[in-house]
């Protein structure tokens, strides 16, 4: 079991498969000048599967989410999914992706055992997409979403970040589009995870702003805390349901008290939080022929020291020194 001093138990493992990405979203990374991890520093496919196996069989992990960077850029992804699907007990598996490669891979991922996908899409406007991502790939994301739905990787969840002066007015249009296609839309407050540290609290679109915008067109009914559990998104029934919309208010309504996550970076470090300033090196232990129990014990110690919360709305908050692409979203 992965328990901390506040009584929280981690059952959800986020695994970053690569720090590389084929987009350059303005809220995540700079356009140029990134220093990618060297291949020898990355965990191998076998090492990733071993650590997930250990987490499931020794530490109580029940869900595994593959992230990046962009996880679809990992050459061995389908094989990793297939091997994890064969574990006993079998964890639930999902992936967070920008969707660009899903048209090509969705069917194979479903056949390998992936359960569902989260796709990042912040705008319905191709020109705004190009401004936000610095790439002209909007249609590729739409095609990927359709392929994921057709393959049965459902519920297909869409994550959207709203930015002032770019797409802040699109909340109702995004929700109408998601309802039409039976996607589950979740808005995420912009978090301070940009490598260039350009985030400013006073410049973000808040959960309150998003809900006010949605209510100009839709009736929203709060689902309630019992339904939410440890999920990061507060959810609302749209026009009486059954379809829902979620808002992840990481900054203005932090949910750290219910956090059930542990994170493994692409280079084999355990992070107790996206905003942690310390990491625990499992890769070195893994490559020194340590036993599963020795690795599990180090993982337990790392999680035991997890802090109470991120404190994103605190003026004294210090942004992490690693970009989100290296940590895993």
């Amino acid at each position: 079991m992965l328990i901390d001093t506040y009584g929280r138990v981690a059952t959800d493992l986020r695994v970053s498969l690569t720090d590389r990405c084929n987009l350059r979203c303005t809220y995540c990374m700079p356009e140029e000048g990134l220093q990618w991890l060297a291949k020898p520093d990355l965990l191998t496919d076998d090492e990733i599967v071993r650590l997930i196996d250990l987490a499931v069989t020794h530490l109580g992990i029940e869900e595994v989410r593959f992230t990046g960077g962009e996880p679809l850029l990992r050459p061995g992804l389908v094989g990793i999914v297939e091997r994890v699907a064969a574990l006993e007990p079998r964890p639930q598996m999902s992936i967070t992706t920008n969707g660009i490669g899903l048209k090509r891979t969705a069917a194979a991922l479903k056949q390998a055992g992936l359960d569902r996908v989260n796709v990042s899409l912040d705008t319905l406007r191709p020109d705004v997409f190009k401004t936000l991502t610095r790439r002209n790939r909007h249609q590729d994301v739409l095609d990927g979403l359709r392929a994921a739905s057709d393959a049965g990787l459902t519920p297909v969840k869409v994550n959207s970040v709203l930015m002032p002066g770019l797409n802040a007015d699109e909340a109702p249009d995004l929700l109408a589009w998601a309802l039409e296609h039976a996607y589950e839309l979740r808005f995420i407050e912009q978090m301070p995870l940009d490598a260039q540290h350009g985030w400013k609290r006073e410049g973000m679109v808040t959960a309150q702003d998003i809900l006010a915008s949605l209510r100009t067109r839709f009736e929203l009914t709060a689902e309630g805390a019992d339904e939410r559990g440890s999920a990061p998104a507060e959810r609302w029934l749209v026009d009486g349901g059954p379809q829902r919309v979620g808002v992840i208010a990481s900054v203005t309504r932090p949910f750290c008290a219910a956090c059930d996550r542990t994170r493994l970076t692409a280079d084999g470090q355990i992070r107790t939080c996206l905003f942690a300033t310390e990491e625990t090196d499992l890769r070195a232990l893994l490559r020194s022929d340590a036993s599963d129990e020795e690795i599990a014990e180090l993982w337990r110690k790392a999680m035991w020291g997890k802090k109470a919360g991120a404190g994103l709305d605190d003026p004294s908050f210090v942004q992490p020194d690693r970009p989100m692409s290296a940590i895993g979203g």
Side-chain angles (χ1 to χ4, degrees), residues 271-280 307 317-321:
R271 293 182 70 92
T272 59
C273 173
L274 270 177
F275 301 94
T277 56
E278 298 175 345
E279 297 177 334
T280 300
K307 291 181 169 54
F317 171 71
V318 178
Q319 291 181 232
D321 57 4

Side-chain angles (χ1 to χ4, degrees), residues 27-314:
Y27 52 78
C28 181
M29 61 175 71
E31 186 170 10
E32 298 176 348
L34 279 168
Q35 186 68 43
W36 303 116
L37 291 169
K39 188 172 181 180
D41 293 335
L42 293 170
L43 293 178
T44 67
D45 293 359
D46 287 345
E47 289 171 336
I48 289 170
V49 173
R50 181 185 173 191
L51 289 174
I52 295 174
D53 186 357
L54 185 155
V56 169
T57 58
H58 288 63
L59 300 172
I61 290 298
E62 300 171 357
E63 299 179 44
V64 176
R65 172 85 62 86
F66 297 108
T67 70
E70 173 45 52
L72 297 185
L73 295 179
R74 177 88 185 199
L77 173 60
V78 173
I80 291 171
V81 170
E82 188 171 33
R83 292 168 67 184
V84 173
L87 297 178
E88 292 290 345
R90 180 197 185 282
Q92 286 289 305
M93 281 186 294
S94 59
I95 191 169
T96 294
T97 170
N98 61 32
I100 288 175
L102 271 178
K103 182 179 179 180
R104 174 177 50 84
T105 58
L109 287 168
K110 177 63 177 179
Q111 185 174 3
L114 192 72
D115 295 300
R116 62 172 188 81
V117 296
N118 285 37
V119 179
S120 299
L121 181 65
D122 303 320
T123 178
L124 298 176
R125 304 168 186 162
D127 58 326
V128 176
F129 182 91
K130 187 175 181 180
T131 299
L132 279 168
T133 67
R134 305 183 178 107
R135 298 292 187 270
N136 189 21
R137 307 295 299 272
H138 189 257
Q139 188 60 49
D140 292 327
V141 180
L142 297 180
D143 292 344
L145 279 161
R146 189 174 303 110
S149 182
D150 290 345
L153 291 169
T154 54
V156 175
K157 295 185 179 182
V158 177
N159 296 337
S160 297
V161 176
L162 299 182
M163 306 280 287
L166 287 172
N167 62 339
D169 62 331
E170 285 197 67
D173 290 339
L174 280 163
L175 181 53
W177 165 82
L179 296 175
E180 178 185 353
H181 293 279
Y183 303 145
E184 186 173 322
L185 180 63
R186 305 190 310 173
F187 292 99
I188 305 176
E189 287 183 338
Q190 184 196 0
M191 293 180 284
L193 290 167
D194 55 318
Q196 60 271 36
H197 289 189
W199 179 88
K200 288 182 173 57
R201 168 65 179 82
E202 61 273 14
M204 61 173 285
V205 180
T206 67
Q208 184 176 347
D209 297 332
I210 294 165
L211 292 170
S213 180
L214 292 175
R215 285 184 169 120
T216 63
R217 197 182 305 181
F218 302 96
E219 179 185 343
L220 303 181
T221 305
E223 194 174 50
D226 291 341
E227 292 288 337
R228 181 182 183 183
S230 62
E234 295 179 78
R235 298 196 305 181
W236 284 262
L237 296 173
V238 180
D239 293 338
Q243 290 176 291
R244 297 168 172 82
V245 63
V247 178
I248 300 177
S250 303
V251 177
T252 62
R253 302 178 188 176
F255 41 86
C256 301
C259 181
D260 64 351
R261 299 177 183 178
T262 183
R263 299 176 182 274
L264 178 66
T265 69
D267 55 350
Q269 312 299 306
I270 288 300
R271 293 182 70 92
T272 59
C273 173
L274 270 177
F275 301 94
T277 56
E278 298 175 345
E279 297 177 334
T280 300
D281 186 3
L282 294 190
R283 185 188 63 198
L285 203 58
L286 193 68
R287 294 180 180 178
S288 65
D289 297 324
S291 68
D292 283 355
E293 187 50 50
E294 288 173 316
I295 298 170
E297 184 57 27
L298 183 60
W299 202 331
R300 291 188 193 101
K301 288 180 179 177
M303 293 305 295
W304 182 251
K306 183 172 181 174
K307 291 181 169 54
L312 306 191
D313 211 20
D314 188 322

